Amino acid sequence: MNQISDPLIIFTPSGKRGHFPVGTPLLDAARELGVYVESVCGGRGICGRCQVEPQFGQFAKHGITSAAESVSEWSPKEARFVEKRGDLKEGRRLSCSATVQGPMVVEIPADATVSQQSIRKAADTRDIHRNPAIQMCYVDVEEPDMHKPLGDLDRLKVALETEWGFEDLLVSQHLIADVQKILRKGEWSVTAAIHQDLESSRPTLVSLWPGLKNEAFGISCDIGSTTIAMNLTSLLSGRVLATAGTSNPQIRFGEDVMSRVSYVMMNPDGREKLTNVLREALNELVGTVCAEAGITGDDILDCVFVGNPIMHHLFLGIDPTELGGAPFALAVSGAVHTWASELDLNVNEGARVYVLPCIAGHVGADAAAATLCEAPQAADEMTLLVDVGTNAEIVLGHKGRTLACSSPTGPAFEGAEISSGQRAAPGAIERVRIDPVTLEPRIRVIGAEMWSDEEGFAEAVKDIGVTGICGSGIIEVVAEMFLAGIVLQDGTVDGGKAANSPRIIEDKRTFSYKLWQAEGGPAITVSQGDIRAIQMAKAALYAGVKLLLDKHGTDRVAKVSLAGAFGTFIDPKYALVLGLVPDCEIENVKAVGNAAGTGARMALLNRNHRREIESTVREIEKIETAIEPRFQEHFINATAFPNKVDAFPRLEAEVTLPKPVVSNATTDGASGGRRRGGRRRV
Ligand code: FES
């Protein structure tokens, strides 16, 4: 091969390319081009984190031929690594050892750059390129010398500057007392964890281990008012090792966030109590994820938290009283960088915490994380992101302009304040279909993976029972009642149907629909009050969305992302039937899973994502629904079913719209019996 002095090297999948002198280690070439390749041992060939896969053959796309001789021969360093570790996959090379010899395509293996988590929720399958705020750095430190009076810690700092380029290093106070012991235990070879979030900030030595420490972990956590979800992720491979969730224990002080603010206002030690129970729950989750992954809290070096403004404040130990009323002033809206020890977290003593910025007084760090994940601000077309809890957090925009607001939907969408409502748990009705002719329902229950008219249903629910209706169930039953003509456009349960179906029951001066009743058990009904609660919630959500559409001067969206538990389980068709979201092509209405949790993990694994969301949040225009006069107008206009009738042409292929009911229809008696007449395709 004719040797070219500075051959072209192309890294895939990024496609980044550059010319490098023969003899350049591939690791150096990657770094120069900004291609992220991990290295803990600083090129000593002992950590194995820097693996790459040179590709050989003709690459017409890139216009080069990558020959086997384009990369240096197998080195003694690599041979020693294989001998000691024995885990270098075929075709892989240590980029700190393999050097450039000719033009070459070099693949960065997916397991070296991105998270490989692939779980059920679509949003969680995304690849997150790593560039964490924590770097693990193995160094050899000069041994003490009576003629050189430099202290042990100072010589460690010199080594970290010489070998890793960290100038002006800060040292976490807790390490100062231990540094001598650790250096001697490691026989002057140690691994330092360096935290540097902002590239302009001073790097900090946050932890130190004797010898090689070839792993580092982080947690990302979404603190919801109802549930808390935590992931444990390897900062070096990006893999999620454990996931855990729990109920927010603050519920015992108040079901929704405003009642918790009231508790703080009325009790002198209220804030402290709410903060303490929350941090205790977080520490329990830390214990759970660590046990599952077989590590200890000491291995966790970085933590990212998101939550709505009130959860955010209580977690940080801030009194949320100001968020209880206009002008809904946040104590701090920007991102918070602090030490885990300040927040009583049972993780490494030097671990850092990053809390995403809040967008506004009612649009929190959870919405910021969901925005980071779904990126409406980077979309070409108008994109709506909705995360519904007790408040709906709404972000609407595209590349040019993004707006956000929150809307007081109340807890009805979560099954609360509904007569037969309950949390999503085994026994809860989550899916409903109603025959428009017989008015007989079919249901699906969490924990029994079948419809009620399928064989074996009675057996499947024998132990769990059918106990109530959860959030997605209530949306479906109300939409189905509307489609079956049981509920009229103004939301009234049509008592005129009582003559045709025993399921329409008189209930004082109104009517209810009996959805289910097991033999000898209580009836699970949908009352007029339940319909009204859903009407109020959906009108509040729609009014918030409409307000943002008005500000944008449009009434159409190209894409709708439904986030959170609400978005995960709601069928987009029913969101359109009820008019929860504006008219949109049905295939563009998507459940995006726990977008806030994914956004938190993105910020954990890549500090560029932190800068990205900080700048996005600064640019988002915040709209306060409480002071917008048109909000009330939109709210009133949105209470009817459906508030936007022209949504229906899009749905005709999917659902059968209400038709006159055949008056002499008969039912087949048993609850949930198989229907007669046409079956909907919903
Ligand atoms: Fe550690 Fe290459 S950097 S083995």
Side-chain angles (χ1 to χ4, degrees):
M1 184 175 73
N2 286 335
Q3 205 171 59
I4 309 163
S5 59
D6 58 344
L8 176 65
I9 306 298
I10 300 169
F11 287 95
T12 58
S14 68
K16 289 188 177 166
R17 53 175 62 206
H19 290 270
F20 296 91
V22 167
T24 307
L26 292 176
L27 180 62
D28 293 359
R31 290 214 167 134
E32 202 161 304
L33 292 173
V35 175
Y36 187 83
V37 179
E38 186 61 78
S39 156
V40 171
C41 70
R44 287 171 175 77
I46 56 175
C47 72
R49 292 280 175 190
C50 63
Q51 296 176 29
V52 295
E53 254 177 62
Q55 308 290 303
F56 305 118
Q58 273 200 330
F59 294 86
K61 189 171 126 200
H62 302 304
I64 64 168
T65 300
S66 182
E69 309 83 68
S70 293
V71 64
S72 59
E73 285 182 2
W74 195 245
S75 69
K77 210 198 262 183
E78 288 166 305
R80 199 174 53 240
F81 176 80
V82 171
E83 191 191 313
K84 293 215 159 134
R85 297 274 304 270
D87 59 356
L88 204 53
K89 283 189 199 155
E90 206 183 323
R92 297 259 177 113
R93 300 292 303 269
L94 296 181
S95 66
C96 63
S97 175
T99 61
V100 173
Q101 299 296 317
M104 195 177 7
V105 173
V106 182
E107 170 87 6
I108 307 294
D111 57 12
T113 59
V114 298
S115 157
Q116 288 299 291
Q117 186 196 24
S118 182
I119 60 173
R120 187 170 62 94
K121 294 174 191 164
D124 289 328
T125 60
R126 74 171 50 208
D127 293 340
I128 303 170
H129 287 267
R130 284 179 306 119
N131 182 11
I134 293 284
Q135 194 176 344
M136 300 294 276
C137 305
Y138 179 82
V139 276
D140 294 319
V141 180
E142 203 183 326
E143 292 189 31
D145 180 338
M146 282 205 296
H147 303 291
K148 296 184 197 163
L150 214 54
D152 285 352
L153 178 61
D154 303 270
R155 273 180 284 106
L156 170 62
K157 285 165 99 174
V158 169
L160 284 165
E161 181 172 348
T162 318
E163 289 192 35
W164 291 89
F166 290 114
E167 291 172 18
D168 207 13
L169 194 68
L170 289 167
V171 178
S172 175
Q173 176 69 27
H174 78 281
L175 287 175
I176 294 174
D178 294 336
V179 68
Q180 292 198 301
K181 227 173 6 188
I182 298 168
L183 284 169
R184 281 156 185 80
K185 193 168 174 198
E187 296 175 356
W188 306 100
S189 295
V190 289
T191 304
I194 309 291
H195 176 268
Q196 189 171 26
D197 189 342
L198 306 164
E199 266 160 37
S200 57
S201 63
R202 283 175 72 183
T204 308
L205 171 62
V206 294
S207 201
L208 192 67
W209 293 266
L212 177 69
K213 173 83 173 168
N214 204 2
E215 239 331 341
F217 299 92
I219 52 170
S220 50
C221 184
D222 178 12
I223 307 173
S225 333
T226 311
T227 55
I228 308 170
M230 186 180 283
N231 279 327
L232 175 77
T233 302
S234 160
L235 297 176
L236 299 186
S237 73
R239 284 183 51 221
V240 176
L241 286 113
T243 298
T246 187
S247 298
N248 188 326
Q250 292 176 339
I251 285 173
R252 66 175 182 265
F253 300 97
E255 185 75 24
D256 58 64
V257 284
M258 279 308 159
S259 53
R260 290 179 218 171
V261 174
S262 305
Y263 184 86
V264 170
M265 289 164 80
M266 284 155 54
N267 295 278
D269 59 350
R271 200 281 305 153
E272 206 180 339
K273 271 192 187 157
L274 287 170
T275 298
N276 289 347
V277 294
L278 175 58
R279 291 183 185 172
E280 277 164 24
L282 293 172
N283 279 327
E284 269 173 37
L285 284 179
V286 167
T288 307
V289 291
C290 285
E292 199 180 320
I295 65 163
T296 68
D298 201 43
D299 295 316
I300 295 172
L301 295 169
D302 205 4
C303 315
V304 171
F305 289 90
V306 301
N308 65 51
I310 290 165
M311 291 305 105
H312 166 280
H313 276 40
L314 288 170
F315 167 57
L316 292 171
I318 303 169
D319 186 327
T321 303
E322 292 299 328
L323 295 169
F328 310 106
L330 289 152
V332 52
S333 57
V336 173
H337 304 252
T338 186
W339 299 90
S341 54
E342 295 283 329
L343 304 171
D344 310 322
L345 296 173
N346 295 340
V347 293
N348 189 290
E349 214 178 333
R352 299 285 308 187
V353 167
Y354 175 80
V355 185
L356 268 73
C358 288
I359 297 175
H362 278 312
V363 192
D366 51 351
T371 303
L372 176 61
C373 176
E374 288 303 305
Q377 78 287 354
D380 290 325
E381 296 175 295
M382 192 64 79
T383 301
L384 173 67
L385 168 64
V386 177
D387 194 345
V388 178
T390 315
N391 277 321
E393 294 178 329
I394 307 164
V395 182
L396 176 79
H398 52 51
K399 257 183 200 146
R401 188 181 178 210
T402 306
L403 307 167
C405 73
S406 88
S407 202
T409 46
F413 286 147
E414 295 175 320
E417 290 179 9
I418 297 293
S419 59
S420 297
Q422 70 158 88
R423 294 233 171 84
I429 298 171
E430 57 166 349
R431 294 266 174 266
V432 178
R433 301 289 180 270
I434 299 175
D435 189 303
V437 177
T438 66
L439 307 189
E440 283 301 303
R442 295 190 301 142
I443 60 166
R444 275 180 83 113
V445 168
I446 298 176
E449 304 305 314
M450 59 175 65
W451 286 97
S452 56
D453 57 350
E454 289 179 72
E455 209 176 302
F457 179 78
E459 186 62 23
V461 296
K462 199 171 90 199
D463 294 333
I464 53 176
V466 179
T467 48
I469 314 172
C470 68
S472 62
I474 190 72
I475 286 165
E476 289 205 3
V477 71
V478 173
E480 283 280 318
M481 286 168 74
F482 172 66
L483 291 171
I486 300 167
V487 165
L488 305 175
Q489 200 165 9
D490 67 357
T492 309
V493 178
D494 183 6
K497 297 276 186 311
N500 302 329
S501 168
R503 292 192 173 271
I504 314 293
I505 307 161
E506 198 168 349
D507 185 1
K508 297 186 187 126
R509 298 211 318 262
T510 61
F511 289 86
S512 297
Y513 176 72
K514 184 161 78 173
L515 177 60
W516 194 259
Q517 185 164 28
E519 221 177 286
I524 295 172
T525 56
V526 182
S527 69
Q528 182 64 67
D530 298 337
I531 306 283
R532 294 282 176 241
I534 289 297
Q535 274 182 290
M536 296 301 116
K538 75 113 185 171
L541 171 57
Y542 190 84
V545 173
K546 187 79 176 78
L547 199 60
L548 297 191
L549 284 167
D550 285 355
K551 299 270 173 192
H552 254 296
T554 182
D555 61 357
R556 294 195 55 83
V557 295
K559 188 180 153 205
V560 178
S561 300
L562 300 170
F566 168 83
T568 303
F569 299 109
I570 188 178
D571 185 328
K573 291 189 270 300
Y574 291 106
L576 284 166
V577 167
L578 284 188
L580 295 183
V581 291
D583 188 16
C584 181
E585 301 292 342
I586 194 159
E587 60 275 16
N588 292 338
V589 181
K590 296 243 157 47
V592 293
N594 183 8
T598 304
R601 199 158 58 81
M602 289 167 72
L604 175 71
L605 284 176
N606 192 326
R607 52 195 166 152
N608 295 340
H609 287 316
R610 301 181 183 186
R611 306 297 87 78
E612 188 187 327
I613 193 56
E614 287 161 13
S615 107
T616 300
V617 165
R618 276 194 295 273
E619 275 157 29
I620 288 178
E621 291 172 46
K622 292 90 180 166
I623 308 297
E624 182 47 70
T625 49
I627 55 167
E628 285 285 338
R630 296 212 69 195
F631 180 79
Q632 202 58 23
E633 189 187 320
H634 289 321
F635 178 84
I636 291 161
N637 289 339
T639 50
F641 294 122
N643 53 297
K644 188 149 182 69
V645 179
D646 69 2
F648 279 85
R650 300 183 186 289
L651 292 167
E652 269 173 356
E654 303 291 332
V655 300
T656 304
L657 298 175
K659 287 193 174 72
V661 174
V662 181
S663 61
N664 61 352
T666 54
T667 71
D668 49 2
S671 289
R674 188 171 284 280
R675 306 168 307 175
R676 293 176 187 168
R679 184 178 287 255
R680 279 201 203 92
R681 290 166 49 212
V682 177

